[in-house]
Amino acid sequence: MNSLGFAKAPAATRVVVAMSGGVDSSVVAALLKEQGYDVVGVTLQLYDQGLALQKKGACCAGQDIYDARQVADRIGIPHYVLDYENRFSDAVMQDFADSYLAGETPIPCVRCNQRVKFRDLLDQARALEADCLATGHYVQRAIGAGGAELHAAADPTRDQSYFLFATTQAQLDFLRFPLGGLPKTETRALAERFGLPVAMKPDSQDICFVPNGNYASVVERLRPGAAEPGAIRHVDGRVLGSHGGVIHFTVGQRRGIAVNDQATSNEPLYVVRVDPAKREVIVGPKAALACDRITLREMNWLAGAAADLPVTVKIRSMSKPVPARISVSGDCAEVIFDAPQFGVAPGQACVVYRDSHVLGGGWIRRNEAASARTAA
């Protein structure tokens, strides 16, 4: 077996590398080329290059396409740029806008992996007669008793498994993640050893198509007139002020809540929930964010449903996994935390783990039962 798990020489193994123009995917291409694999680089143009050039740290447009081509030339591999702008808009950006209008906090990176990179790009890799598709994600792929498994990265500070929970078993069979066992410092060192022009390039930001981190401006551009004003209401029913649109708020948010301090005794206020139908933002003290259970939709299981089993779950990309139990019903599930959690936002993902093994996950759904518990 070669290092990618195929019973043939590296030279007889074709690998398509998804090259975003960043250091991680560039190192993947260089490593596999050094190991003797038949490497083909593919970069996706996902959104308007003019918009991308306004933002440092963006990926998949403008300067990053140029950087990916420079790396491919440096290591001597063929490189293709595919225009997926319309697909990305339809599958990711429109969903992003609709989620904010529904009072949710979306994760477009997951949708991009689910609907574009691990679907359309994977199909393109097969069309190029590749044996696998390699990416620069910091996750690990292991072979278990039931086949390929998805595991968290060896370096917990770089782990990206949260963003890959929607990967299917068929996709995981075809995917490879060469950086999953490395710390970022080693990746940077490899980039320097290979003489890659992106060796010191800053990491890309999570949401590539949002200029300057202004999510609301993107939503307003996609949905003109979306930012309708409304009331800021305390959980006890009092109206404390007004806002310029629910798209500016997310559950757990503390900054940017403009209210009359005299009406709140200067207590710190957090967004407890967003009601788009009434155009209201409900706020309250931190205690009002406490939540002992959540309901999930669109469950994706990579290792069989973990019904009524003790597991750990992540409810935000940067949070640590916390103990919980899960009750499964079709493609939905209820997660019961061992201890209350704070600031659980609808539209975010809840990813289920057993140790480092990613069992699956789903999207946190906004419903009255969960909202009532949150506000209790």
Side-chain angles (χ1 to χ4, degrees):
M1 288 286 181
N2 61 35
S3 64
L4 295 178
F6 297 101
K8 52 184 175 180
T13 305
R14 175 167 292 179
V15 185
V16 166
V17 177
M19 299 181 68
S20 68
V23 62
D24 298 324
S25 58
S26 297
V27 167
V28 167
L31 268 176
L32 295 176
K33 174 66 175 179
E34 182 184 61
Q35 293 170 8
Y37 288 98
D38 177 11
V39 179
V40 177
V42 173
T43 300
L44 304 182
Q45 179 185 321
L46 297 181
Y47 57 97
D48 181 72
Q49 296 187 40
L51 174 64
L53 290 172
Q54 300 172 18
K55 177 175 188 277
K56 295 181 179 180
C59 69
C60 305
Q63 180 66 40
D64 295 287
I65 293 175
Y66 174 79
D67 289 342
R69 188 177 297 281
Q70 290 291 101
V71 170
D73 290 345
R74 175 74 176 83
I75 63 178
I77 64 171
H79 177 253
Y80 302 96
V81 177
L82 305 179
D83 184 356
Y84 276 26
E85 188 171 329
N86 289 337
R87 303 186 201 192
F88 184 73
S89 176
D90 292 343
V92 179
M93 294 179 68
Q94 302 303 323
D95 177 82
F96 174 84
D98 289 340
S99 293
Y100 265 108
L101 289 177
E104 299 180 339
T105 306
I107 315 175
C109 296
V110 175
R111 290 301 194 194
C112 183
N113 290 328
Q114 180 185 32
R115 297 176 174 177
V116 180
K117 292 181 180 177
F118 290 173
R119 187 183 67 183
D120 296 335
L121 178 55
L122 192 143
D123 289 342
Q124 185 63 53
R126 288 196 172 102
L128 291 170
E129 300 182 339
D131 293 284
C132 63
L133 171 67
T135 79
H137 287 101
Y138 284 87
V139 295
Q140 298 187 90
R141 179 184 179 277
I143 300 299
E149 298 176 350
L150 184 65
H151 287 256
D155 182 354
T157 66
R158 302 300 306 180
D159 176 48
Q160 294 174 300
S161 59
Y162 179 86
F163 298 102
L164 270 62
F165 81 88
T167 305
T168 67
Q169 187 62 58
Q171 292 167 345
L172 190 57
D173 289 341
F174 195 72
L175 289 163
R176 299 295 187 273
F177 309 106
L179 302 185
L182 302 181
K184 182 67 176 231
T185 51
E186 187 169 342
T187 301
R188 291 279 185 194
L190 286 168
E192 291 187 25
R193 178 168 73 79
F194 290 128
L196 303 183
V198 297
M200 300 311 295
K201 186 175 181 178
D203 291 340
S204 62
Q205 298 182 21
D206 284 345
I207 301 181
C208 58
F209 58 89
V210 179
N212 304 316
N214 190 342
Y215 310 119
S217 68
V218 174
V219 177
E220 289 183 276
R221 180 168 60 85
L222 295 171
R223 299 288 185 273
E228 298 184 62
I232 298 177
R233 188 182 296 275
H234 196 276
V235 290
D236 64 13
R238 291 176 294 146
V239 174
L240 303 180
S242 61
H243 63 77
V246 297
I247 62 174
H248 295 279
F249 299 90
T250 183
V251 172
Q253 178 178 331
R254 181 177 176 183
R255 294 183 178 180
I257 304 174
V259 298
N260 185 342
D261 290 340
Q262 293 181 346
T264 62
S265 301
N266 294 316
E267 65 175 343
L269 292 176
Y270 299 81
V271 175
V272 174
R273 64 181 181 275
V274 177
D275 188 336
K278 296 181 179 179
R279 300 202 302 273
E280 290 187 344
V281 175
I282 312 302
V283 300
K286 185 175 181 180
L289 290 171
C291 179
D292 64 357
R293 64 186 67 199
I294 54 176
T295 302
L296 309 181
R297 56 180 170 83
E298 296 181 49
M299 291 299 299
N300 178 64
W301 294 108
L302 275 168
D308 299 319
L309 295 175
V311 294
T312 59
V313 299
K314 288 184 71 170
I315 54 175
R316 286 178 293 274
S317 62
M318 299 303 292
S319 67
K320 294 182 179 180
V322 296
R325 297 185 74 89
I326 295 183
S327 175
V328 179
S329 177
D331 68 346
C332 298
E334 184 178 56
V335 177
I336 303 172
F337 302 114
D338 285 11
Q341 300 300 305
F342 293 81
V344 183
Q348 292 282 288
C350 176
V351 181
V352 185
Y353 297 81
R354 183 171 297 122
D355 297 324
S356 69
H357 188 186
V358 179
L359 304 184
W363 299 96
I364 299 172
R365 183 174 65 186
R366 185 177 191 273
N367 59 61
E368 290 304 316
S371 297
R373 290 188 182 96
T374 303

